[in-house]
Amino acid sequence: MSSPSGPAQPGRIPARPDVGATAPGDRGDTAPDGGSGEKEPDGARPGAAGYRAVFAVPEFRYVFAAHLLSSLGVVVCEIALSFLVFRLTASPLLSALTFALGLLPYVVGGTLLSAVADRYPARRVLVVCDLLCALAAAGMVLPGTPVAVLLALRCVIAAIAPVFAGTRAATLGEILGEGDLFVLGRSVIRIVNQSAQLAGFAAGGLLLAVATPATVLAITAGTFLGSALLLRLGTLVRPARDAARGALLGASLTGTRRLLADRRIRALLLLTWLPPTFVVVPESLLIPFSDLLGVGPAGLGLLLCSMPIGAVVAEPLVGSFLGPHARARLTYPMAVFAVLPSLGFAAQPSLGWAVLLLVLTGTGISYNFGVDRWFVAAVPEELLGQAMTVMQAGRMTIMGLGMALAGVAAEFAPLRVVMPAGGIVGAVCVLAVIAEVRRTAGEAGEAGEIGEAGGKRRPGPLPATET
């Protein structure tokens, strides 16, 4: 591999061919039915070697370290800013709003700025996003900053997030290839996201116990700068995927419409978005639920940590002990299973049983293994960054909507009704989307374009409208 500071050759950069069982950058490594030409034994364990192979790619190690820093920065920033706003206003509403603003602006960045991910070189986009987040965090530190400005700066970070996430996801395809290493690389990113919630809340609480909110916010600005430095020094220069010029807003909206007009891509986006939407229903109601149990702050903290713990445990286990085909076969069952544990809240469980239900819910994250591979195979090369941006923005936006609707429902109905109702409605919706995904997989398979567990990416552009 050439020096990270040097330019990459145009086109895809294959992952190290000497690592792992297959060359993941080879688009022909998957048969139309999702196989690789030979059937993989169900008991095979390439995932264990796969995670090692992912970290054996030097560029990925830099991306991993940068993501770890920026993820911790975002979580700690949310906690510190919420604490600062509450100290300045004594308003629980405004304090809670700082967390909501971490989700709502995703739709703005993901829709109006999504073309950035493909129009400019990926490394430049990632570094600039981190620098802008660092500037926003630094602006929060300035003495006398009005609360409205603090919240606006939080919106800036949230609007940048989907562009950064989409660009990084597309870059993983260039670093690791389109095969199993890409899927495992995305798995590592999800593990970091869930772990950052646990470590970030703990670190934020400890830092706020010994330092002022302004000092903690200054530290978060440093994490963004550290992430930018790692990405600048450790990743290759790659050309933009789409060299088209014109109005950025128009290109973003046009690209989003083209993605949503494709039946296969639309179905996979819905499969990505819907399970998390209903998973967050019980999670968003844990504060009133803990009050109902009378467990206090310690019990609430345990409940809040349960779902990320389930995700952090399940993700590496599935990635390590199951091969690509077994993981693909788990996609549909786990997508449905993710929303089912909330049905247990109808029995008004004790703290221990509630923790178990939430841990089981967290294990449903493993359904993403199959969806990631199918999605990257369905999207044309020139729109990959924009597609990943739309995927991330839609997921976070619809999760925020799910939280809001759960809160509204809990105003009019008891928790023992609202929390399991999310599971019932979620199961129906997810099953309907799965049926659509299966139909589009069959159509694509007949066209020889994509298989149920992977396949070749379609080389041509998306149609302007669905045919």
Side-chain angles (χ1 to χ4, degrees), residues 118-119 240-245:
D118 293 312
R119 180 170 289 196
R241 295 177 193 83
D242 185 2
R245 289 293 178 262

Side-chain angles (χ1 to χ4, degrees), residues 31-59:
D33 65 348
S36 56
E38 296 181 2
K39 285 295 181 181
E40 173 190 83
D42 288 344
R45 294 176 51 191
Y51 277 122
R52 291 195 297 269
V54 167
F55 282 99
V57 180
E59 224 180 331

Side-chain angles (χ1 to χ4, degrees), residues 1-2 13-25 52-61 174-177 181 238:
M1 177 174 287
S2 59
I13 303 297
R16 289 174 51 181
D18 57 322
V19 180
T22 60
R52 291 195 297 269
V54 167
F55 282 99
V57 180
E59 224 180 331
F60 179 80
R61 294 199 295 269
E174 297 173 328
I175 295 173
L176 301 173
L181 287 193
R238 291 181 173 85

Side-chain angles (χ1 to χ4, degrees), residues 67-390:
H67 181 54
L68 184 60
L69 274 179
S70 61
S71 297
L72 287 172
V74 168
V75 175
V76 173
C77 179
E78 287 179 346
I79 297 171
L81 184 59
S82 178
F83 191 84
L84 178 61
V85 168
F86 184 75
R87 174 179 288 184
L88 293 174
T89 64
S91 169
L93 173 62
L94 290 176
S95 179
L97 187 60
T98 62
F99 285 98
L101 291 177
L103 295 177
L104 298 180
Y106 263 76
V107 69
V108 177
T111 302
L112 304 184
L113 302 176
S114 58
V116 170
D118 293 312
R119 180 170 289 196
Y120 302 100
R123 187 174 75 173
R124 184 189 307 171
V125 173
L126 294 174
V127 171
V128 170
C129 284
D130 266 334
L131 292 177
L132 290 175
C133 288
L135 286 174
M140 299 174 187
V141 178
L142 297 177
T145 304
V147 172
V149 175
L150 292 174
L151 297 179
L153 291 172
R154 180 69 189 96
C155 287
V156 169
I157 295 176
I160 292 171
V163 178
F164 182 89
T167 305
R168 183 191 56 228
T171 301
L172 287 182
E174 297 173 328
I175 295 173
L176 301 173
E178 296 175 16
D180 199 44
L181 287 193
F182 170 80
V183 175
L184 292 172
R186 288 273 291 166
S187 170
V188 171
I189 296 299
R190 288 194 297 271
I191 293 170
V192 171
N193 289 338
Q194 297 296 323
S195 301
Q197 291 188 45
L198 299 174
F201 282 128
L206 290 174
L207 287 171
L208 288 171
V210 298
T212 64
T215 302
V216 177
L217 288 170
I219 293 174
T220 66
T223 64
F224 290 123
L225 290 175
S227 175
L229 183 63
L230 286 168
L231 292 169
R232 175 62 181 82
L233 298 179
T235 58
L236 295 170
V237 178
R238 291 181 173 85
R241 295 177 193 83
D242 185 2
R245 289 293 178 262
L248 177 63
L249 176 59
S252 298
L253 293 175
T254 299
T256 301
R257 284 196 298 268
R258 291 173 64 196
L259 289 168
L260 295 177
D262 184 277
R263 185 180 178 187
R264 172 68 176 173
I265 293 175
R266 187 171 63 242
L268 290 171
L269 284 172
L270 288 173
L271 185 56
T272 303
W273 294 342
L274 285 182
T277 301
F278 294 100
V279 161
V280 300
V281 170
E283 187 179 31
S284 63
L285 299 174
L286 288 180
I287 292 178
F289 179 75
S290 67
D291 183 65
L292 188 66
L293 293 180
V295 295
L300 174 60
L302 182 59
L303 290 169
L304 291 172
C305 291
S306 298
M307 200 177 293
I309 288 173
V312 170
V313 171
E315 186 91 19
L317 286 178
V318 173
S320 297
F321 290 95
L322 297 180
H325 301 291
R327 294 197 299 264
R329 286 194 293 270
L330 273 180
T331 301
Y332 298 147
M334 292 307 294
V336 177
F337 176 78
V339 303
L340 294 182
S342 62
L343 298 178
F345 284 96
Q348 296 182 333
S350 63
L351 176 62
W353 284 109
V355 167
L356 177 60
L357 291 172
L358 293 169
V359 169
L360 290 174
T361 300
T363 63
I365 195 174
S366 56
Y367 90 97
N368 285 287
F369 280 104
V371 181
D372 279 344
R373 185 158 186 168
W374 303 341
F375 188 75
V376 77
V379 175
E381 177 74 25
E382 71 276 7
L383 286 178
L384 180 58
Q386 186 167 3
M388 301 303 286
T389 301
V390 170

